[in-house]
Amino acid sequence: MNPLTVGVRREDEPGERRVALTPDGVGRLVAAGMTVVVESDAGTAAWFDNNSYAEAGAELVTTGELYDRADVVLSIGLVPPERLRAGQAVVGMFAPLRQPGYAADLAARGVTMVSVDGVPRTLSRAQTMDALTSQANIAGYKAVLVAANAYERFFPLLITAAGTARPAEVLVLGAGVAGLQAIGTARRLGAVVRAYDVRPAARGEVESLGAAFVELASVADARGEGGYARALAEDEQQAQQRELAEQVARHDVVITTAQVPGRRPPLLVTADAVKAMKPGSVVVDLAASPLGGNVAGSEPGRTVVTGNGVTVIGADNLPATMPTAASAAYSRNITALLLHLVRDGALAVDTGDEIQAGVVVTHGGAVVHAGVARLLERTTS
Ligand code: NAD
């Protein structure tokens, strides 16, 4: 039987510097009996050069050869559908619940789509495959560095002959994976940190990192399903915004990370709240998206200084700004997933398996993921 050929593509989105598989990942797949072909310069922007792939046992190929030869294409972002052919599989972070049209396109072409962001997150045997977590961790860490860089004072308490600098007061809104990493990083830089989340379980986690938990009277508990938050009702959201505005105004730096699955990010910091902040304050919105973010007026990839001197930074793909660490983690995740999916040298699709039911989106010419199929039915009916 021919060994499975795994292809590693060079990402082509502007600003995307990560690569799906590092040389370390190549070694693991080769050891498992797979052939690995790598598009020339696929890892160069993440500081993994062509030689390091060759030394790990991969073959460097042109773009055309990559798509011709690969049985499975490993990616981070969307692969142009016209590159792919029937019977081929593609693995990446495709957010099919947000962009179901891409899944429909790949299904029509007979391509098997595996989206690693569908890994069931609370299943302990799937934790090594959880790319959403590995990348959110990086985003939370980098958000603090971005904020510290834009904040034109110190984060720690400094007592010097030239005077005493008080520590920065940092507020983290949303204490999931990215928020908790932001809390830890801001604490390590010496800031005084407070954090808020709508899930009561977050309190213990926030406090264990040495931050204070901010309690709001308006929304005490908005637990949703699967460990996520639920969307707030309109009146709850307005009450939350009013209460948060007072907190926001008291802080020098605000980092927002709140997300609700399948919804646009909730607006936590209104334009009035930003207006009430002190000049020199900094806001980093990790939830900034084309649909809006957690902060009024934030846009991904844009930094705005408001009339009252507040720097509002719309974060845009922060994991891609730490491509070496982000690729190493993603490569571990995707290698673990691939080894789970491959039996006897071929992809063994079995949506009866809990992990596969989450990640296999299209197969055999159809959309097989229940949630994505439902979404497509709704949009076409
Ligand atoms: P996420 O990216 O969906 O959201 C980030 C945070 O925003 C969440 O903590 C959420 O509660 C919060 N949020 C949503 N709406 C809000 C609002 N209006 N105001 C304030 N905060 C709001 O979440 P995530 O970081 O992916 O993590 C979600 C959950 O999954 C967490 O409980 C996390 O600990 C859990 N998780 C568990 C595992 C595991 O067990 N291996 C792995 C990953 C995540």
Side-chain angles (χ1 to χ4, degrees):
M1 190 194 297
N2 286 336
L4 187 80
T5 300
V6 177
V8 182
R9 72 183 286 262
R10 191 173 63 219
E11 301 294 318
D12 50 13
E13 280 285 303
E16 182 53 82
R17 293 175 53 203
R18 292 172 292 176
V19 61
L21 194 74
T22 63
D24 176 70
V26 171
R28 284 164 197 269
L29 297 186
V30 169
M34 301 178 203
T35 298
V36 182
V37 293
V38 175
E39 186 174 349
S40 184
D41 282 332
T44 308
W47 310 113
F48 299 109
D49 63 13
N50 289 339
N51 273 342
S52 58
Y53 282 99
E55 278 164 17
E59 192 183 331
L60 276 298
V61 296
T62 63
T63 310
E65 278 173 301
L66 177 90
Y67 292 102
D68 279 351
R69 288 183 52 192
D71 300 311
V72 181
V73 176
L74 302 186
S75 181
I76 289 179
L78 302 189
V79 181
E82 61 281 4
R83 282 274 181 209
L84 300 165
R85 58 179 153 77
Q88 212 166 26
V90 61
V91 187
M93 278 210 283
F94 304 129
L97 291 169
R98 246 179 285 139
Q99 34 203 11
Y102 183 68
D105 193 349
L106 293 199
R109 289 169 192 269
V111 175
T112 297
M113 177 212 245
V114 176
S115 196
V116 66
D117 41 13
V119 164
R121 303 183 74 193
T122 46
L123 199 63
S124 59
R125 69 191 166 98
Q127 281 182 13
T128 50
M129 309 171 193
D130 186 352
L132 276 183
T133 291
S134 73
Q135 304 303 297
N137 241 323
I138 291 169
Y141 169 81
K142 190 65 186 270
V144 174
L145 302 189
V146 167
N149 195 38
Y151 182 58
E152 294 174 344
R153 297 175 186 229
F154 290 106
F155 262 38
L157 166 74
L158 278 191
I159 301 170
T160 75
T164 298
R166 66 167 177 85
E169 306 222 11
V170 174
L171 177 65
V172 175
L173 300 178
V177 177
L180 292 174
Q181 184 57 253
I183 293 168
T185 307
R187 289 273 301 147
R188 285 193 285 273
L189 279 178
V192 171
V193 185
R194 297 182 192 86
Y196 165 71
D197 200 293
V198 287
R199 289 178 300 106
R203 172 191 281 272
E205 291 166 337
V206 164
E207 289 175 347
S208 73
L209 290 168
F213 191 75
V214 172
E215 204 156 332
L216 299 190
S218 52
V219 190
D221 186 350
R223 253 175 299 182
E225 287 181 7
Y228 290 104
R230 64 167 170 82
L232 302 184
E234 187 60 34
D235 55 334
E236 280 179 311
Q237 190 172 19
Q238 283 171 8
Q240 185 192 48
Q241 288 166 356
R242 272 196 301 276
E243 258 191 296
L244 277 179
E246 287 166 33
Q247 292 290 337
V248 165
R250 298 208 331 243
H251 286 81
D252 305 302
V253 172
V254 176
I255 295 171
T256 66
T257 75
Q259 299 279 358
V260 177
R263 302 291 190 106
R264 50 162 292 188
L267 182 69
L268 304 182
V269 181
T270 60
D272 283 345
V274 175
K275 266 194 203 132
M277 293 180 84
K278 297 180 286 282
S281 305
V282 174
V283 182
V284 177
D285 184 3
L286 267 187
S289 79
L291 297 174
N294 294 151
V295 181
S298 75
E299 280 176 46
R302 274 197 65 200
T303 297
V304 182
V305 181
T306 64
N308 60 318
V310 178
T311 302
V312 179
I313 301 170
D316 185 24
N317 198 0
L318 289 182
T321 67
M322 287 186 48
T324 317
S327 303
Y330 187 84
S331 174
R332 283 295 187 112
N333 299 142
I334 210 168
T335 305
L337 178 61
L338 200 58
L339 292 173
H340 177 73
L341 295 175
V342 172
R343 289 279 167 279
D344 302 323
L347 273 195
V349 172
D350 165 18
T351 47
D353 169 70
E354 204 176 344
I355 296 176
Q356 292 215 26
V359 298
V360 180
V361 181
T362 69
H363 185 60
V367 173
V368 296
H369 186 285
V372 179
R374 260 198 309 276
L375 206 62
L376 283 165
E377 267 166 34
R378 239 182 281 150
T379 45
T380 49
S381 62

